[in-house]
Amino acid sequence: MGDALALAQAAIAVGEVPVGAVVVKDGKIIGRGHNHTRIDHDPTAHAEIVAIRQATQFLGNDRLEDCDLWVTLEPCTMCAGAIAHARIGRLYYGADDPKGGAVDSGVRFFDAATCHHKPEIYAGIEGERSAKLLLDFFKERRD
């Protein structure tokens, strides 16, 4: 999660919402990402999507079975869908997102009968640090 948190910090430096993600296979990071929605003018460029795209390119495969995704914020519905389609084995996330999250909040995407793949889910990993990055970022924007 340390690498994902460092990527979230890097997002702040370029004016993006501080969310970072890494995809890990066999203990090696094969995909990294932080939010790029403003930089790329792309609403789909969430940290998870950026990291998943990089990992699939690295492996030359659209399936990320036996991979772990570490992300600083509970994934949204779009990202949960990408996680399911990529067949990611384990999801570790930091801060809960009661407003936009879709794993343990909101639509609870992976619990839906129509969801075709559910990763193992581990929530709250460095949750306080992840939440603080977000709270400080938005507080500074408001001030």
Side-chain angles (χ1 to χ4, degrees):
M1 187 60 86
D3 289 291
L5 283 162
L7 287 161
Q9 286 279 27
I12 293 171
V14 294
E16 291 282 357
V17 174
V19 179
V22 294
V23 176
V24 177
K25 183 171 178 67
D26 300 326
K28 179 182 175 190
I29 295 175
I30 61 169
R32 301 171 192 273
H34 63 67
N35 279 2
H36 272 250
T37 58
R38 297 196 190 299
I39 295 169
D40 293 350
H41 309 292
D42 179 356
T44 70
H46 288 194
E48 300 95 311
I49 302 294
V50 174
I52 288 169
R53 286 176 180 158
Q54 193 176 90
T56 58
Q57 292 300 304
F58 178 83
L59 293 178
N61 190 338
D62 64 327
R63 301 293 168 96
L64 298 175
E65 297 165 334
D66 300 319
C67 289
D68 302 332
L69 175 65
W70 294 78
V71 60
T72 59
L73 182 65
E74 178 182 358
C76 69
T77 306
M78 174 184 69
C79 292
I83 291 164
H85 282 283
R87 308 291 198 279
I88 289 174
R90 287 157 302 280
L91 167 64
Y92 300 86
Y93 75 84
D96 291 328
D97 187 357
K99 188 174 180 180
V103 177
D104 291 315
S105 305
V107 301
R108 301 179 64 95
F109 181 86
F110 297 116
D111 292 337
T114 55
C115 180
H116 58 275
H117 172 78
K118 179 179 182 174
E120 294 175 30
I121 299 167
Y122 303 92
I125 312 299
E126 293 285 0
E128 287 182 19
R129 285 181 62 196
S130 299
K132 184 169 177 8
L133 279 175
L134 289 157
L135 291 169
D136 290 350
F137 175 81
F138 287 114
K139 182 180 184 303
E140 186 176 309
R141 293 274 190 238
R142 286 189 301 272
D143 294 345

